[in-house]
Each structure stands twice: as C-alpha cells, then as structure tokens.
Amino acid sequence: MIHFHYDIPSLTALEVFEASARHLSFKLAASELEMTSGEIRRQIKAIEGELGVRLIVGPGSDVVLTSAGEDLYRLLASSSARASEVVSIITRRDYSRTATPARRMDRT
C-alpha cells in the first residue's frame, strides 16, 4: 500500500475496514462502498497483513472484530465523527470571502 506522511495503512483500506466493522457485515460494507465482497475481503486481508494482526475473524459475510479490530474501529469512528463536526463548522461559515492565510502547521 502507498503511504504518504503518516505511518498508517491506506485511507481506502481504513474506509473499507470502518464500513465492515460498523455494519458487522462484508456484504453491507460492499454495498455501501459499491465494491464486491471479494474486494472488501482483499482490502481487509491487506490491512491485516500490513499491521501483522487479525482485525476480523469468522467465516461467511458476518464480521466479528478481534480486540485489535475493536480498538481500531473505535479510533476510526471517533476520528470520523470529529472530522464530520469540523466539516460542518467549515461549511456553515463563509471561508470563501476571507483572504487571511491560515497559520502554518508544524510538520515534523
């Protein structure tokens, strides 16, 4: 998987895992993401291989999270909720009229 700056799996793989964990179903995640169940499973296998730990166990299309899977899902759900809050704040304000540059973020 391609990594950019942060030492995390691809955002696509994380999105696939989050949807699978949220629905507790590969089939529902596949439907939501407009992918096949096979593509979902391949992404899950890839992220598990990259992390070196199982995130999901169980046969069939039902998803059972391991403790590592639960930890990762809680983090992703919390981060997504916070990102949604920030996006809502941004869209309620009219930033397009401001010409003030944002402060530079420290990128160490």
Side-chain angles (χ1 to χ4, degrees):
M1 288 185 201
I2 298 174
H3 294 276
F4 294 98
H5 179 71
Y6 302 102
D7 188 23
I8 61 173
S10 78
L11 293 178
T12 300
L14 291 173
E15 178 183 32
V16 165
F17 171 75
E18 188 279 335
S20 299
R22 180 169 28 87
H23 290 297
L24 295 176
S25 168
F26 292 129
K27 183 177 179 180
L28 292 175
S31 177
E32 176 184 320
L33 299 173
E34 297 181 348
M35 300 173 81
T36 66
S37 291
E39 290 170 318
I40 295 290
R41 290 174 191 275
R42 280 189 290 282
Q43 287 288 330
I44 297 297
K45 279 191 173 285
I47 196 172
E48 288 177 333
E50 187 171 345
L51 296 176
V53 64
R54 298 280 312 263
L55 299 172
I56 294 173
V57 294
S61 63
D62 291 337
V63 168
V64 177
L65 298 175
T66 65
S67 59
E70 288 177 9
D71 289 344
L72 182 57
Y73 174 67
R74 277 195 296 274
L75 172 69
L76 293 173
S78 172
S79 298
S80 295
R82 179 66 183 131
S84 180
E85 290 171 11
V86 171
V87 168
S88 291
I89 290 167
I90 289 170
T91 57
R92 285 193 306 262
R93 297 179 183 169
D94 189 0
Y95 285 104
S96 63
R97 294 186 195 179
T98 62
T100 307
R103 69 175 175 85
R104 182 173 167 81
M105 295 180 67
D106 181 25
R107 297 178 189 219
T108 56

